[in-house]
Amino acid sequence: MQLGDYRIEIIPDTEFRLDGGAMFGVVPRVLWERVCPPDELNRVRLNMNCLFVETPSEKILIETGIGEKWSEKETRMYGIFRGKSFAQTLFEKSGCTPEDITIVVNTHLHFDHAGGNTIGSDTWTRRRGNAESVPPAVAGGVLSSNPQSAFRIPQFPCARYFVSASEFNHAQNPHERDRASYLPENWQPLKESGQLELKPDNYEVVPGLKMQTVRGHSKTMQTWRLDRGGQTVYGFADLIPTRHHLSLPWIMGYDLYPTETLEFKKQILPLAAKENWICLFYHDFEMPICQVAEKNGKFEAVEYVES
């Protein structure tokens, strides 16, 4: 998709599953199962839709998915069905390799948004067929508790990794309710390699691409907005994770501040509908890119057709 002199592509990571009740909070199952049928373990199908942005001078990746460092037990628990590596999907969709990426942006450091920040040194070796090309960052890598991989190293060796300082500090001292979502192996190697850059709560990545901290899912998670070529593309991150969460009270049980998520939705959705934004729903399995229409005070997803 071309927006002026910028090119964007959706990079889907892989299918995974989370508990439907947690994904829809106080909404009764009899309602949410109509649009997201659960499996026998009450889990719904999700994906992680990362965004690739190519500017005249940068190749940017917003989010890196769930990563490939999971044990067999964890893979079963999260219902991860990986058909191909993230690097392969990135190349198929954008024509770029991990080495081509110059900036990685994380809206927050939960494992399903930052898991692909790093890989095991064994993955790096398999990707190239020998061990001699393991990057210098491995020397400062982080030891893994997974015996299948001794070290965690940056997946994007030439990239600067951006995350807000507030989110980083929260990740280092998480709330009891979201502690399990923060895995230091997803950011500690970036500190060791000198690639991690801590940013303000609100900042501009490149001209037209802005990050904003919005309290709701957590205190420090960010959303992003890209304005280019007369169009706006907006990423809700986990505040509106799928198009099925457009209804105002349909809010995840994972949110630490659900009433503030509600207020955010009341403000942002009328604007998205009025200005015909292209919207990215990070966890939507079937239709991650949509536009939003308002009908009789309710919001619904409309298929986006590129002109």
Side-chain angles (χ1 to χ4, degrees):
M1 184 189 306
Q2 201 70 30
L3 281 77
D5 57 345
Y6 287 8
R7 174 171 70 105
I8 67 171
E9 303 289 347
I10 306 302
I11 315 296
D13 184 19
T14 186
E15 177 184 345
F16 83 122
R17 303 189 180 204
L18 291 177
D19 182 81
M23 282 301 297
F24 290 98
V26 299
V27 180
R29 172 172 168 159
V30 70
L31 295 180
W32 61 255
E33 70 178 357
R34 298 174 186 172
V35 294
C36 288
D39 66 11
E40 68 281 0
L41 297 178
N42 202 51
R43 303 175 304 180
V44 295
R45 299 173 75 185
L46 303 167
N47 206 326
M48 285 127 315
N49 299 292
C50 309
L51 186 75
F52 170 81
V53 181
E54 183 177 20
T55 80
S57 59
E58 305 283 359
K59 292 181 173 63
I60 303 164
L61 193 61
I62 303 179
E63 315 288 45
T64 60
I66 204 168
E68 299 162 47
K69 308 185 295 290
W70 301 96
S71 67
E72 291 184 11
K73 178 181 178 181
E74 292 166 330
T75 298
R76 290 194 302 270
M77 179 172 68
Y78 290 116
I80 300 171
F81 296 94
R82 182 173 293 284
K84 61 184 72 173
S85 70
F86 185 85
Q88 183 178 348
T89 302
L90 175 65
F91 184 76
E92 291 174 355
K93 297 291 186 179
S94 71
C96 295
T97 68
E99 290 80 5
D100 295 323
I101 300 300
T102 60
I103 296 175
V104 173
V105 181
N106 290 133
T107 62
H108 58 308
L109 291 170
H110 284 178
F111 64 73
D112 53 332
H113 291 253
N117 284 356
T118 62
I119 54 175
S121 55
D122 59 334
T123 300
W124 186 281
T125 299
R126 285 198 306 273
R127 204 178 273 176
R128 286 150 185 79
N130 60 72
E132 63 184 26
S133 61
V134 173
V138 74
V142 175
L143 281 172
S144 168
S145 59
N146 183 349
Q148 296 176 345
S149 179
F151 282 94
R152 306 309 197 194
I153 60 177
Q155 176 162 207
F156 307 95
C158 303
R160 302 153 66 197
Y161 286 76
F162 294 176
V163 67
S164 78
S166 296
E167 170 62 13
F168 179 78
N169 291 335
H170 176 67
Q172 298 279 55
N173 299 281
H175 192 280
E176 289 85 351
R177 286 194 60 201
D178 65 356
R179 179 174 290 129
S181 295
Y182 286 108
L183 305 178
E185 63 184 25
N186 292 329
W187 66 81
Q188 188 63 33
L190 314 178
K191 285 185 61 182
E192 299 290 341
S193 68
Q195 292 171 254
L196 183 64
E197 297 186 19
L198 301 183
K199 297 293 185 179
D201 287 351
N202 304 302
Y203 69 96
E204 191 170 49
V205 180
V206 291
L209 177 56
K210 296 180 180 180
M211 307 298 297
Q212 179 183 8
T213 297
V214 181
R215 181 170 160 130
H217 183 59
S218 70
K219 186 177 180 180
T220 52
M221 193 206 78
Q222 294 180 312
T223 62
W224 55 264
R225 173 173 173 161
L226 174 59
D227 293 295
R228 206 71 179 176
Q231 292 181 291
T232 296
V233 186
Y234 195 90
F236 298 98
D238 277 348
L239 285 165
I240 307 179
T242 77
R243 70 189 191 281
H244 303 303
H245 290 80
L246 282 171
S247 178
L248 294 179
W250 288 44
I251 295 170
M252 290 196 296
Y254 295 114
D255 285 14
L256 299 184
Y257 308 97
T259 58
E260 294 182 54
T261 298
L262 177 61
E263 291 307 311
F264 166 79
K265 292 171 74 173
K266 288 180 179 179
Q267 294 173 16
I268 203 74
L269 288 176
L271 189 60
K274 179 181 178 181
E275 298 186 357
N276 296 313
W277 292 358
I278 304 166
C279 299
L280 177 65
F281 300 99
Y282 181 73
H283 284 305
D284 201 291
F285 183 77
E286 295 177 318
M287 202 164 71
I289 283 284
C290 305
Q291 290 183 298
V292 175
E294 184 174 4
K295 295 182 180 179
N296 300 318
K298 296 183 178 181
F299 298 96
E300 59 182 42
V302 178
E303 182 178 1
Y304 171 70
V305 179
E306 188 174 357
S307 58

